[in-house]
Amino acid sequence: MRKDEKVILQEFARILKSNRKKDFSSLNQFAFNSPNLTSATISRIENATVDFKFTTLVKLAYALNMSPSELLKDFEFDYSSYEE
């Protein structure tokens, strides 16, 4: 995984974890209430170890009772600081 990709995933992981902790006491509780998402998948996303599909983003937002755009509203990444 490239460094810029890792940074992007880490930023999303921070946002996801913050939103999850607002309504759920644990990752397992969140997974139990999330359709089609396992605790292992959520854990890998929150630890930025996997690049996930857009459909997973939609499922995560749904499980948090928000739209994908609401989940991403605080996402900040300056791609110009990374060279290919």
Side-chain angles (χ1 to χ4, degrees), residues 24-79:
F24 298 93
S25 60
S26 71
L27 187 143
N28 286 331
Q29 181 191 31
F30 178 58
F32 182 77
N33 291 301
S34 303
N36 305 312
L37 294 170
T38 66
S39 59
T41 297
I42 298 166
S43 176
R44 286 191 297 270
I45 294 169
E46 286 191 356
N47 288 302
T49 60
V50 63
D51 197 351
F52 55 93
K53 299 187 302 185
F54 178 76
T55 54
T56 304
L57 171 74
V58 173
K59 290 174 188 177
L60 289 166
Y62 176 80
L64 292 166
N65 296 314
M66 55 180 37
S67 69
S69 61
E70 287 175 298
L71 183 56
L72 293 172
K73 73 179 170 69
D74 295 325
F75 184 85
E76 295 289 331
F77 180 76
D78 181 9
Y79 214 96

